[in-house]
Amino acid sequence: MSCIFCKIIAGEAPAAILYRDEQVIAFRDIHPIASTHILIVPLRHISSVNELEEADAALVGHMALAAKQLAVQEGVAGRGYRLIMNTGPEGGQSVFHLHMHLIAGKSARSLLG
Ligand code: AMP
Ligand code: ZN
């Protein structure tokens, strides 16, 4: 198994895990670009948005709802945050296991202009 996120899910690599349920796990990004930077990751290995199928619609919705809950927990829900799914090399994706970035804090504001 070479996927770093699958290793974290299996407990074979360390991570600052904030949340886990039967579908997703959430942990802090190892190289945060803002004061809050959390990754919401499905337990099942899906490479990217490109590999999503109709049957995964509920899973993606679940990821968004987990992100919303984490934003509340982090105390950033009111001020706001960004949810980002980088896709493919030119989309800035570097880990090819589907994930949603939850990014909040001052430096999050300048991300997309
Ligand atoms: P992306 O560039 O959208 O594929 O995002 C991958 C993210 O995973 C980057 O922001 C990395 O900093 C983060 N990352 C890579 N390895 C780890 C790890 N072992 N634990 C936590 N975050 C990681
Ligand atoms: Zn994986």
PDB file of all heavy atoms in Angstrom, residues 40 62-74 77 81 83 100 102:
ATOM      1  N   ILE A  40     -10.622  16.382   4.846  1.00  0.00           N
ATOM      2  CA  ILE A  40     -11.721  15.433   5.036  1.00  0.00           C
ATOM      3  C   ILE A  40     -11.570  14.379   3.943  1.00  0.00           C
ATOM      4  O   ILE A  40     -11.575  14.716   2.743  1.00  0.00           O
ATOM      5  CB  ILE A  40     -13.103  16.125   4.969  1.00  0.00           C
ATOM      6  CG1 ILE A  40     -13.226  17.149   6.100  1.00  0.00           C
ATOM      7  CG2 ILE A  40     -14.235  15.094   5.090  1.00  0.00           C
ATOM      8  CD1 ILE A  40     -12.852  18.544   5.727  1.00  0.00           C
ATOM      9  N   HIS A  62     -21.718  13.792   2.410  1.00  0.00           N
ATOM     10  CA  HIS A  62     -21.289  13.493   3.784  1.00  0.00           C
ATOM     11  C   HIS A  62     -19.975  14.200   4.098  1.00  0.00           C
ATOM     12  O   HIS A  62     -19.786  14.717   5.206  1.00  0.00           O
ATOM     13  CB  HIS A  62     -21.156  11.982   3.949  1.00  0.00           C
ATOM     14  CG  HIS A  62     -20.952  11.542   5.362  1.00  0.00           C
ATOM     15  ND1 HIS A  62     -21.958  11.566   6.304  1.00  0.00           N
ATOM     16  CD2 HIS A  62     -19.846  11.094   6.002  1.00  0.00           C
ATOM     17  CE1 HIS A  62     -21.475  11.147   7.461  1.00  0.00           C
ATOM     18  NE2 HIS A  62     -20.193  10.865   7.303  1.00  0.00           N
ATOM     19  N   MET A  63     -19.069  14.243   3.133  1.00  0.00           N
ATOM     20  CA  MET A  63     -17.799  14.961   3.327  1.00  0.00           C
ATOM     21  C   MET A  63     -18.066  16.437   3.601  1.00  0.00           C
ATOM     22  O   MET A  63     -17.453  17.045   4.491  1.00  0.00           O
ATOM     23  CB  MET A  63     -16.910  14.823   2.079  1.00  0.00           C
ATOM     24  CG  MET A  63     -16.315  13.429   1.892  1.00  0.00           C
ATOM     25  SD  MET A  63     -15.558  13.219   0.268  1.00  0.00           S
ATOM     26  CE  MET A  63     -14.087  14.246   0.433  1.00  0.00           C
ATOM     27  N   ALA A  64     -18.980  17.033   2.845  1.00  0.00           N
ATOM     28  CA  ALA A  64     -19.300  18.460   3.026  1.00  0.00           C
ATOM     29  C   ALA A  64     -19.928  18.692   4.401  1.00  0.00           C
ATOM     30  O   ALA A  64     -19.615  19.686   5.076  1.00  0.00           O
ATOM     31  CB  ALA A  64     -20.228  18.927   1.912  1.00  0.00           C
ATOM     32  N   LEU A  65     -20.789  17.779   4.832  1.00  0.00           N
ATOM     33  CA  LEU A  65     -21.426  17.941   6.149  1.00  0.00           C
ATOM     34  C   LEU A  65     -20.422  17.751   7.281  1.00  0.00           C
ATOM     35  O   LEU A  65     -20.492  18.448   8.299  1.00  0.00           O
ATOM     36  CB  LEU A  65     -22.604  16.968   6.285  1.00  0.00           C
ATOM     37  CG  LEU A  65     -23.797  17.330   5.401  1.00  0.00           C
ATOM     38  CD1 LEU A  65     -24.820  16.198   5.384  1.00  0.00           C
ATOM     39  CD2 LEU A  65     -24.455  18.623   5.870  1.00  0.00           C
ATOM     40  N   ALA A  66     -19.471  16.834   7.096  1.00  0.00           N
ATOM     41  CA  ALA A  66     -18.406  16.664   8.093  1.00  0.00           C
ATOM     42  C   ALA A  66     -17.571  17.939   8.163  1.00  0.00           C
ATOM     43  O   ALA A  66     -17.197  18.394   9.250  1.00  0.00           O
ATOM     44  CB  ALA A  66     -17.536  15.458   7.743  1.00  0.00           C
ATOM     45  N   ALA A  67     -17.287  18.530   7.003  1.00  0.00           N
ATOM     46  CA  ALA A  67     -16.518  19.778   6.962  1.00  0.00           C
ATOM     47  C   ALA A  67     -17.255  20.885   7.701  1.00  0.00           C
ATOM     48  O   ALA A  67     -16.665  21.643   8.482  1.00  0.00           O
ATOM     49  CB  ALA A  67     -16.259  20.178   5.512  1.00  0.00           C
ATOM     50  N   LYS A  68     -18.536  20.976   7.473  1.00  0.00           N
ATOM     51  CA  LYS A  68     -19.358  21.987   8.155  1.00  0.00           C
ATOM     52  C   LYS A  68     -19.277  21.813   9.673  1.00  0.00           C
ATOM     53  O   LYS A  68     -19.093  22.784  10.418  1.00  0.00           O
ATOM     54  CB  LYS A  68     -20.806  21.849   7.675  1.00  0.00           C
ATOM     55  CG  LYS A  68     -21.816  22.657   8.463  1.00  0.00           C
ATOM     56  CD  LYS A  68     -23.237  22.235   8.118  1.00  0.00           C
ATOM     57  CE  LYS A  68     -24.117  22.348   9.342  1.00  0.00           C
ATOM     58  NZ  LYS A  68     -25.499  21.952   9.064  1.00  0.00           N
ATOM     59  N   GLN A  69     -19.379  20.578  10.147  1.00  0.00           N
ATOM     60  CA  GLN A  69     -19.308  20.290  11.575  1.00  0.00           C
ATOM     61  C   GLN A  69     -17.937  20.649  12.144  1.00  0.00           C
ATOM     62  O   GLN A  69     -17.815  21.235  13.216  1.00  0.00           O
ATOM     63  CB  GLN A  69     -19.618  18.807  11.806  1.00  0.00           C
ATOM     64  CG  GLN A  69     -19.814  18.431  13.249  1.00  0.00           C
ATOM     65  CD  GLN A  69     -20.827  19.333  13.960  1.00  0.00           C
ATOM     66  OE1 GLN A  69     -21.900  19.609  13.427  1.00  0.00           O
ATOM     67  NE2 GLN A  69     -20.468  19.842  15.125  1.00  0.00           N
ATOM     68  N   LEU A  70     -16.889  20.326  11.378  1.00  0.00           N
ATOM     69  CA  LEU A  70     -15.526  20.642  11.825  1.00  0.00           C
ATOM     70  C   LEU A  70     -15.319  22.154  11.886  1.00  0.00           C
ATOM     71  O   LEU A  70     -14.618  22.659  12.770  1.00  0.00           O
ATOM     72  CB  LEU A  70     -14.511  19.999  10.880  1.00  0.00           C
ATOM     73  CG  LEU A  70     -14.354  18.480  11.087  1.00  0.00           C
ATOM     74  CD1 LEU A  70     -13.815  17.820   9.831  1.00  0.00           C
ATOM     75  CD2 LEU A  70     -13.439  18.192  12.274  1.00  0.00           C
ATOM     76  N   ALA A  71     -15.924  22.881  10.956  1.00  0.00           N
ATOM     77  CA  ALA A  71     -15.819  24.341  10.973  1.00  0.00           C
ATOM     78  C   ALA A  71     -16.436  24.902  12.254  1.00  0.00           C
ATOM     79  O   ALA A  71     -15.888  25.824  12.870  1.00  0.00           O
ATOM     80  CB  ALA A  71     -16.496  24.933   9.736  1.00  0.00           C
ATOM     81  N   VAL A  72     -17.548  24.321  12.675  1.00  0.00           N
ATOM     82  CA  VAL A  72     -18.171  24.735  13.942  1.00  0.00           C
ATOM     83  C   VAL A  72     -17.229  24.439  15.101  1.00  0.00           C
ATOM     84  O   VAL A  72     -16.955  25.294  15.950  1.00  0.00           O
ATOM     85  CB  VAL A  72     -19.529  24.015  14.135  1.00  0.00           C
ATOM     86  CG1 VAL A  72     -20.094  24.284  15.521  1.00  0.00           C
ATOM     87  CG2 VAL A  72     -20.520  24.441  13.050  1.00  0.00           C
ATOM     88  N   GLN A  73     -16.701  23.211  15.123  1.00  0.00           N
ATOM     89  CA  GLN A  73     -15.782  22.780  16.182  1.00  0.00           C
ATOM     90  C   GLN A  73     -14.557  23.665  16.284  1.00  0.00           C
ATOM     91  O   GLN A  73     -14.055  23.950  17.360  1.00  0.00           O
ATOM     92  CB  GLN A  73     -15.286  21.360  15.882  1.00  0.00           C
ATOM     93  CG  GLN A  73     -15.947  20.267  16.700  1.00  0.00           C
ATOM     94  CD  GLN A  73     -15.481  18.905  16.220  1.00  0.00           C
ATOM     95  OE1 GLN A  73     -16.259  18.168  15.644  1.00  0.00           O
ATOM     96  NE2 GLN A  73     -14.220  18.581  16.431  1.00  0.00           N
ATOM     97  N   GLU A  74     -14.055  24.106  15.124  1.00  0.00           N
ATOM     98  CA  GLU A  74     -12.851  24.942  15.078  1.00  0.00           C
ATOM     99  C   GLU A  74     -13.160  26.397  15.392  1.00  0.00           C
ATOM    100  O   GLU A  74     -12.252  27.219  15.489  1.00  0.00           O
ATOM    101  CB  GLU A  74     -12.223  24.865  13.672  1.00  0.00           C
ATOM    102  CG  GLU A  74     -11.561  23.556  13.361  1.00  0.00           C
ATOM    103  CD  GLU A  74     -10.210  23.384  14.049  1.00  0.00           C
ATOM    104  OE1 GLU A  74      -9.323  24.216  13.843  1.00  0.00           O
ATOM    105  OE2 GLU A  74     -10.051  22.406  14.803  1.00  0.00           O
ATOM    106  N   ALA A  77     -16.911  28.771  11.759  1.00  0.00           N
ATOM    107  CA  ALA A  77     -18.110  28.708  10.912  1.00  0.00           C
ATOM    108  C   ALA A  77     -18.682  30.096  10.644  1.00  0.00           C
ATOM    109  O   ALA A  77     -19.056  30.407   9.509  1.00  0.00           O
ATOM    110  CB  ALA A  77     -19.160  27.806  11.563  1.00  0.00           C
ATOM    111  N   TYR A  81     -15.032  30.101   5.661  1.00  0.00           N
ATOM    112  CA  TYR A  81     -13.953  29.154   5.309  1.00  0.00           C
ATOM    113  C   TYR A  81     -14.105  28.750   3.851  1.00  0.00           C
ATOM    114  O   TYR A  81     -15.097  29.093   3.195  1.00  0.00           O
ATOM    115  CB  TYR A  81     -14.020  27.933   6.229  1.00  0.00           C
ATOM    116  CG  TYR A  81     -15.385  27.291   6.337  1.00  0.00           C
ATOM    117  CD1 TYR A  81     -15.770  26.268   5.475  1.00  0.00           C
ATOM    118  CD2 TYR A  81     -16.321  27.731   7.285  1.00  0.00           C
ATOM    119  CE1 TYR A  81     -17.023  25.685   5.574  1.00  0.00           C
ATOM    120  CE2 TYR A  81     -17.572  27.157   7.386  1.00  0.00           C
ATOM    121  CZ  TYR A  81     -17.919  26.128   6.532  1.00  0.00           C
ATOM    122  OH  TYR A  81     -19.157  25.569   6.623  1.00  0.00           O
ATOM    123  N   LEU A  83     -13.870  25.350   1.140  1.00  0.00           N
ATOM    124  CA  LEU A  83     -13.814  23.903   0.925  1.00  0.00           C
ATOM    125  C   LEU A  83     -13.293  23.694  -0.490  1.00  0.00           C
ATOM    126  O   LEU A  83     -13.889  24.192  -1.448  1.00  0.00           O
ATOM    127  CB  LEU A  83     -15.197  23.271   1.080  1.00  0.00           C
ATOM    128  CG  LEU A  83     -15.863  23.455   2.445  1.00  0.00           C
ATOM    129  CD1 LEU A  83     -17.236  22.797   2.469  1.00  0.00           C
ATOM    130  CD2 LEU A  83     -14.982  22.887   3.553  1.00  0.00           C
ATOM    131  N   MET A 100     -11.058  16.678   0.729  1.00  0.00           N
ATOM    132  CA  MET A 100     -11.585  18.036   0.721  1.00  0.00           C
ATOM    133  C   MET A 100     -10.788  18.837   1.735  1.00  0.00           C
ATOM    134  O   MET A 100     -10.648  18.419   2.880  1.00  0.00           O
ATOM    135  CB  MET A 100     -13.062  17.982   1.114  1.00  0.00           C
ATOM    136  CG  MET A 100     -13.789  19.300   1.137  1.00  0.00           C
ATOM    137  SD  MET A 100     -15.518  19.022   1.660  1.00  0.00           S
ATOM    138  CE  MET A 100     -16.262  18.515   0.107  1.00  0.00           C
ATOM    139  N   LEU A 102     -10.480  21.894   4.199  1.00  0.00           N
ATOM    140  CA  LEU A 102     -11.213  22.923   4.946  1.00  0.00           C
ATOM    141  C   LEU A 102     -10.170  23.928   5.407  1.00  0.00           C
ATOM    142  O   LEU A 102      -9.278  23.586   6.194  1.00  0.00           O
ATOM    143  CB  LEU A 102     -11.938  22.295   6.147  1.00  0.00           C
ATOM    144  CG  LEU A 102     -12.392  23.229   7.274  1.00  0.00           C
ATOM    145  CD1 LEU A 102     -13.357  24.290   6.781  1.00  0.00           C
ATOM    146  CD2 LEU A 102     -13.030  22.423   8.400  1.00  0.00           C
TER     147      LEU A 102
END
